[in-house]
């Protein structure tokens, strides 16, 4: 799984790509945790616009990070949620606990949008 | 759809085969008049069944095999996912959170929500067999209309 990220004041944006399942969960979890450790004072925005599939294992990665962040008083937001991903989030009741948008407000993957740091992981 | 189609596929208990199996099943199902959203739901259910075999059946070890039998008739898509792993005394255990605490037992919920019928049989020491079935929708009026229109005068 390719992961890119962007750091702005108060906010860390991480873009995940492709399928979020058992094959990619460990990498995604490790990369997200490494970034959350590195930027401990920022909220997290996860860009899912390039994620077309998620199952309970992939969802577990997102919910695990959500638990970690809320315990520390940090916010987590999902962006670019595709229809197939939205169906899974809805059944799991994620809509009640986490904010998310179906659209993509900006593009994490574009070059030159790095505020004070960013790059590729994994 | 004229003839029923089916396949058998036996894959190593490796995480990358979760995607392989769900794509194979989706490709079979795509021959039926399922909506795109139905196909996505089928992929999630299959992914959960195969993941259960890998995580619960084989404990994450990759030397096991998972047998997948999928068939499509005019009425039903039927997918059987079987492992010869450790099995479960109580299939209710499949609903519980995995050891990493992050899968939350949602797998069974997704299978039951996205398929019309789900059966899980398990025997300790013998393995687990999950049967997923989804009713094939009747071709939509719109699709029939398009066919009629394309027949033309």
């Amino acid at each position: 799984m390719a992961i890119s990220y962007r750091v702005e004041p108060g906010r860390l944006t991480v873009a995940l790509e492709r399928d979020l399942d058992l094959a990619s969960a460990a990498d995604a979890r490790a990369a997200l945790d490494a970034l959350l450790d590195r930027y401990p004072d920022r909220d997290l925005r996860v860009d899912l616009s390039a994620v077309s599939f998620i199952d309970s294992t992939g969802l577990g990665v997102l919910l695990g990070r959500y638990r970690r962040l809320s315990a520390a008083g940090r916010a987590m937001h999902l962006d670019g949620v595709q229809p197939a991903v939205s169906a899974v989030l809805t059944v799991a009741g994620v809509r009640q606990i986490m904010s998310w948008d179906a659209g993509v407000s900006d593009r994490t993957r574009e070059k030159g949008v790095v505020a004070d740091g960013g790059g590729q992981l994994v | 759809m004229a003839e029923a189609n089916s396949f058998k596929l036996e894959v190593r208990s490796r995480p990358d085969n979760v995607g392989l199996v769900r794509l194979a099943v989706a490709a079979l199902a795509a021959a039926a008049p399922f909506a795109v959203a139905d196909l996505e739901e089928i992929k999630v259910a299959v992914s959960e069944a195969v993941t259960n075999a890998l995580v619960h059946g084989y404990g994450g070890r990759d030397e096991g095999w998972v047998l997948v039998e999928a068939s499509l008739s005019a009425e039903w898509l039927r997918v059987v996912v079987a492992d010869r792993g450790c099995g479960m005394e109580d299939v209710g255990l499949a609903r519980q959170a995995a050891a990493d605490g992050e899968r939350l037992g949602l797998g069974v919920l997704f299978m039951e929500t996205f398929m019309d019928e789900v059966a899980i049989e398990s025997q300790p020491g013998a393995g687990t067999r999950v049967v997923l079935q989804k009713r094939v929708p009747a071709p939509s009026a719109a699709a029939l209309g398009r066919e009629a229109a394309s027949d033309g005068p």
Side-chain angles (χ1 to χ4, degrees):
Chain A
M1 158 163 285
I3 291 167
S4 56
Y5 67 99
R6 186 176 75 223
V7 184
E8 298 163 290
R11 187 169 80 169
L12 167 68
T13 301
V14 181
L16 306 178
E17 286 182 22
R18 294 198 288 274
D19 296 352
L20 203 45
D21 65 1
L22 186 65
S24 59
D27 283 350
R29 183 186 299 119
L32 283 163
D33 278 344
L35 287 166
L36 292 174
D37 286 342
R38 195 187 303 170
Y39 304 102
D41 55 343
R42 285 171 171 82
D43 291 336
L44 176 66
R45 175 176 158 269
V46 182
D47 181 348
L48 295 173
S49 56
V51 173
S52 54
F53 178 87
I54 190 168
D55 61 13
S56 68
T57 309
L59 182 57
V61 173
L62 299 179
L63 290 171
R65 311 291 74 68
Y66 172 78
R67 277 202 297 269
R68 176 187 164 169
L69 286 160
S70 16
R74 299 162 72 182
M76 178 168 165
H77 177 79
L78 305 179
D79 211 353
V81 175
Q82 303 299 300
V85 175
S86 170
V88 167
L89 298 185
T90 302
V91 170
V94 174
R95 196 179 282 277
Q96 279 80 48
I97 61 169
M98 219 183 293
S99 67
W100 96 65
D101 290 315
V104 191
S105 55
D106 51 17
R107 293 178 178 267
T108 308
R109 274 167 226 81
E110 278 179 9
K111 302 287 183 193
V113 294
V114 175
D116 63 7
Q120 297 281 338
L121 274 185
V122 183
Chain B
M1 186 180 51
E3 297 285 321
N5 193 10
S6 61
F7 70 75
K8 289 185 185 180
L9 180 65
E10 199 160 18
V11 298
R12 278 275 181 205
S13 56
R14 293 167 47 97
D16 36 355
N17 284 335
V18 176
L20 187 155
V21 172
R22 71 170 170 262
L23 290 178
V25 172
L28 177 74
F34 285 114
V36 172
D38 292 333
L39 296 176
E40 293 299 331
E41 293 180 356
I42 291 163
K43 281 161 68 179
V44 174
V46 169
S47 200
E48 301 299 348
V50 177
T51 299
N52 271 330
L54 268 56
V55 174
H56 295 294
Y58 294 115
R61 297 181 309 277
D62 66 3
E63 70 267 27
W65 291 89
V66 179
L67 176 64
V68 181
E69 299 177 75
S71 59
L72 179 67
S73 69
E75 292 86 29
W76 291 94
L77 170 72
R78 184 172 192 268
V79 184
V80 181
V81 176
D83 67 67
R84 292 184 291 275
C86 66
M88 292 172 285
E89 189 75 58
D90 174 6
V91 294
L93 289 175
R95 295 170 183 274
Q96 294 179 5
D100 64 7
E102 294 197 351
R103 294 190 56 240
L104 306 166
L106 284 169
V108 175
L109 171 70
F110 288 165
M111 288 192 277
E112 290 176 344
T113 303
F114 293 143
M115 303 299 282
D116 291 310
E117 291 186 17
V118 177
I120 304 175
E121 304 155 14
S122 194
Q123 266 199 311
T128 300
R129 187 169 177 270
V130 177
V131 183
L132 306 169
Q133 297 193 91
K134 197 171 181 79
R135 198 172 282 107
V136 174
S140 71
L144 290 173
R146 278 197 300 276
E147 276 176 29
S150 66
D151 285 346

